[in-house]
Amino acid sequence: NEEARGRSAQVIGESRFILVHLTAPAEVCARRNRGNDPDAVEESAPDFQTPADPDLTLDTGTLKTGECVDKIMEMLAARKLID
């Protein structure tokens, strides 16, 4: 939730805290869950709150893992946190 994210940012430091929100359509998540455990029961995450203002949002329903990594690395480089 936003309160926990705020505390994390304080501990890490506002200038170094980066919030990356990974999202995917519900049907993609359900398919992934079934792929990991054929007997899996879909569960919701009632405590999860979509970040109000993420630094980066990645749709893992359309982006491949490597593409997500590239986008994160580009953001880190742009912020001069990595070379």
Side-chain angles (χ1 to χ4, degrees), residues 2 4 13 31 34 38 41 51 55-56 59 61 69-70 75-76 83:
E2 290 299 319
R31 185 176 66 243
R34 284 192 300 271
V41 176
D55 297 291
L56 181 64
D59 182 350
V69 171
D70 289 344
M75 184 186 62
L76 293 173
D83 292 325

Side-chain angles (χ1 to χ4, degrees), residues 18 20-24 32 56-76 82:
I18 297 171
V20 178
H21 177 226
L22 302 178
T23 185
R32 289 174 179 164
L56 181 64
T57 298
L58 300 171
D59 182 350
T60 64
T62 59
L63 295 170
K64 296 180 181 178
T65 302
E67 293 171 314
C68 291
V69 171
D70 289 344
K71 289 184 180 296
I72 292 169
M73 297 300 285
E74 288 168 8
M75 184 186 62
L76 293 173
I82 62 171

Side-chain angles (χ1 to χ4, degrees), residues 17-48:
F17 181 78
I18 297 171
L19 180 58
V20 178
H21 177 226
L22 302 178
T23 185
E27 59 273 6
V28 171
C29 294
R31 185 176 66 243
R32 289 174 179 164
N33 287 343
R34 284 192 300 271
N36 291 333
D37 180 358
D39 298 319
V41 176
E42 291 182 34
E43 295 182 29
S44 63
D47 294 337
F48 179 76

